[in-house]
C-alpha cells in the first residue's frame, strides 16, 4: 500500500495515507494496471466500514481519521465511473454485456 498524506498533521497520524490522493492518482493515470492496483488498495483499506476516510494508517487500515468522509466517497464514485467509461481497456464484462432492468 502506498500513497500520500500530510507532513503537517500531528505525529500519531503523520504516516497516514489520504485515499483522495490515491483516487486522484487513479483518475489522472493513463495506465489501466496502475488504476486497477489503486482500486485494489482503496478497497482493501476502508477499515472494513465500506466508506472512504480522510486518512488511514497503511500498516493498520482500521486506524483512520473521520469515520465517514463523503468528499472522498464522492471522488471514489467518480473514479469507479471512470473505470467503467474506459471499459475497452478494463478486464471483465463491458457495460453492454449487462442486462439492465428497465421496468420495476
Amino acid at each position: 500500500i502506498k500513497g500520500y498524506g500530510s507532513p503537517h498533521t500531528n505525529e500519531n497520524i503523520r504516516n497516514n495515507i489520504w485515499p483522495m490522493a490515491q483516487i486522484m492518482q487513479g483518475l489522472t493515470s493513463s495506465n489501466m494496471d496502475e488504476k486497477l492496483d489503486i482500486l485494489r488498495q482503496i478497497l482493501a483499506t476502508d477499515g472494513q466500514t465500506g466508506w472512504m476516510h480522510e486518512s488511514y494508517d497503511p500498516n493498520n487500515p482500521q486506524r483512520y481519521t473521520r469515520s465517514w468522509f463523503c468528499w472522498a466517497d464522492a471522488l471514489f464514485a467518480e473514479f469507479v465511473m471512470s473505470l467503467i467509461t474506459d471499459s475497452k481497456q478494463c478486464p471483465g464484462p463491458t457495460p453492454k454485456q449487462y442486462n439492465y432492468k428497465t421496468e420495476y
Side-chain angles (χ1 to χ4, degrees):
I1 297 171
K2 57 188 174 193
Y4 295 98
S6 174
H8 305 291
T9 55
N10 64 42
E11 192 171 320
N12 64 333
I13 61 170
R14 188 157 296 144
N15 294 321
N16 278 17
I17 292 174
W18 289 342
M20 288 183 66
Q22 291 177 296
I23 295 166
M24 288 306 300
Q25 180 182 350
L27 283 168
T28 58
S29 175
S30 59
N31 182 300
M32 185 55 70
D33 289 333
E34 179 182 17
K35 288 175 179 268
L36 293 174
D37 183 52
I38 290 167
L39 178 64
R40 286 183 202 99
Q41 288 181 52
I42 292 168
L43 292 174
T45 57
D46 69 352
Q48 298 180 345
T49 65
W51 300 103
M52 296 291 101
H53 305 291
E54 177 185 42
S55 72
Y56 65 87
D57 181 336
N59 299 310
N60 181 2
Q62 292 184 335
R63 291 186 60 220
Y64 50 81
T65 58
R66 293 195 191 187
S67 60
W68 187 68
F69 192 44
C70 63
W71 187 7
D73 290 322
L75 196 59
F76 178 70
E78 185 174 341
F79 177 47
V80 170
M81 293 300 294
S82 77
L83 292 171
I84 293 169
T85 301
D86 201 12
S87 64
K88 291 179 184 176
Q89 295 180 40
C90 188
T94 63
K96 291 180 182 177
Q97 292 173 305
Y98 291 106
N99 293 321
Y100 293 102
K101 189 174 183 180
T102 56
E103 294 181 26
Y104 296 93

